[in-house]
Amino acid sequence: KTKLESAGYTVGGSVYAKTTVSDKTYCISSDATQFSVKVAETLGRQNYYLNTIYSNDADVVVIIGKDYK
């Protein structure tokens, strides 16, 4: 959250998922401009996805995995 905010992004919220664990960090967006690519680059990640059926008020959802340090 801090890294994204310091890069100028507005973080709408964060949730700790107790039941799901991901090995990798992902950035997911529904926008054809692939905004998730920019967020992934900010986090030093290469995993980003475009999901056209994704519905959420956020431009990008970031799932922090075990690989994020």
Side-chain angles (χ1 to χ4, degrees), residues 1 5 15-16 18 20 22-23 25 31 34 36 39 45 50 55 57-59 61 64 66 68-69:
K1 179 179 172 182
E5 288 175 335
V15 176
Y16 178 75
K18 295 178 182 178
T20 305
S22 177
D23 289 331
T25 298
D31 192 333
Q34 295 184 349
S36 58
V39 174
R45 304 285 108 188
L50 181 63
S55 62
D57 292 335
D59 293 324
V61 170
I64 303 295
K66 293 179 185 179
Y68 192 79
K69 306 233 186 268

Side-chain angles (χ1 to χ4, degrees), residues 9-40:
Y9 294 100
T10 300
V11 177
S14 63
V15 176
Y16 178 75
K18 295 178 182 178
T19 58
T20 305
V21 177
S22 177
D23 289 331
K24 294 190 178 195
T25 298
Y26 299 96
C27 297
I28 307 165
S29 71
S30 62
D31 192 333
T33 62
Q34 295 184 349
F35 190 54
S36 58
V37 175
K38 296 175 187 173
V39 174

